[in-house]
Amino acid sequence: MRDAITSLIKNYDVTGRYLDRDAIDNLKSYFQTGTVRVQAAGIINANAAALVKQAGIRLFADLPELIRPGGNAYTTRRYAACLRDMDYYLRYASYALVAGNTDVLDERVLQGLRETYNSLGVPIGPTVVGIQILKEMVREQVAAAGIQPGDWLDQPFDHISRELSERDI
């Protein structure tokens, strides 16, 4: 897993360039948000079970057809699998948050996930809705802890949502 620093240095090293103003600005931003990113990850960790549970409740309140007969989360097993996946996304989003980089999401979560979901008949739209609900709830928790949420907090969740979303249909 790479973080923002190793990714930046690798990109400049591969091209044989010295760090320029953009690279220095990126590094400054990474270090300036470091403490709040770690604090936000701590908040996620301390509240993960409640976040996943409440996100599931909100998701199924917004999309009740998922838990009705024939819905993708109808049986207890499928309902539990949905919550398990939400927990998985939240955990990896927290890793990406600390790293300041979404590479871990690409490598460990997203690679082949859309294809797997499609082959299993798991609807991607509600999955993306659930991820966005998690993002909103994390923003609320972080703000309640006195930390100003920003793009740095949204980035992992938005990256997962964007990469899972349907394209060119």
Side-chain angles (χ1 to χ4, degrees):
M1 177 174 84
R2 291 184 303 220
D3 60 17
I5 296 170
T6 56
S7 292
L8 184 127
I9 290 171
K10 180 183 177 199
N11 291 339
Y12 276 79
D13 186 44
V14 166
T15 58
R17 299 179 1 215
Y18 288 97
L19 297 178
D20 57 17
R21 173 57 49 203
D22 290 337
I24 300 299
D25 289 343
N26 286 339
L27 289 172
K28 281 182 186 177
S29 174
Y30 176 78
F31 288 119
Q32 288 171 345
T33 62
T35 301
V36 293
R37 284 184 288 104
V38 170
Q39 289 172 338
I43 292 166
I44 291 170
N45 183 50
N47 299 295
L51 285 165
V52 169
K53 180 181 178 183
Q54 289 301 314
I57 290 169
R58 282 180 50 186
L59 174 66
F60 297 129
D62 291 349
L63 301 169
E65 64 274 9
L66 293 171
I67 55 174
R68 291 187 185 132
N72 202 269
Y74 173 57
T75 65
T76 303
R77 183 182 62 80
R78 286 181 169 186
Y79 186 92
C82 179
L83 295 182
R84 177 207 61 213
D85 287 356
M86 290 178 83
D87 184 63
Y88 185 67
Y89 301 134
L90 182 62
R91 182 166 42 96
Y92 273 95
S94 72
Y95 297 165
L97 184 63
V98 171
N101 187 300
T102 59
D103 286 348
V104 67
L105 299 173
D106 296 328
E107 295 168 6
R108 307 272 170 89
V109 178
L110 296 167
Q111 191 173 53
L113 184 62
R114 183 180 327 123
E115 294 78 9
T116 301
Y117 274 7
N118 285 335
S119 71
L120 295 173
V122 175
I124 293 174
T127 302
V128 171
V129 170
I131 292 165
Q132 290 302 303
I133 290 170
L134 279 172
K135 177 180 84 170
E136 292 169 18
M137 295 181 73
V138 167
R139 286 181 67 83
E140 291 167 6
Q141 290 277 325
V142 167
I147 300 169
Q148 181 63 38
D151 290 340
W152 55 270
L153 185 60
D154 297 343
Q155 184 183 16
F157 299 98
D158 291 342
H159 183 77
I160 296 170
S161 296
R162 184 177 47 255
E163 293 301 312
L164 273 181
S165 295
E166 297 295 329
R167 297 181 218 150
D168 300 326
I169 294 181

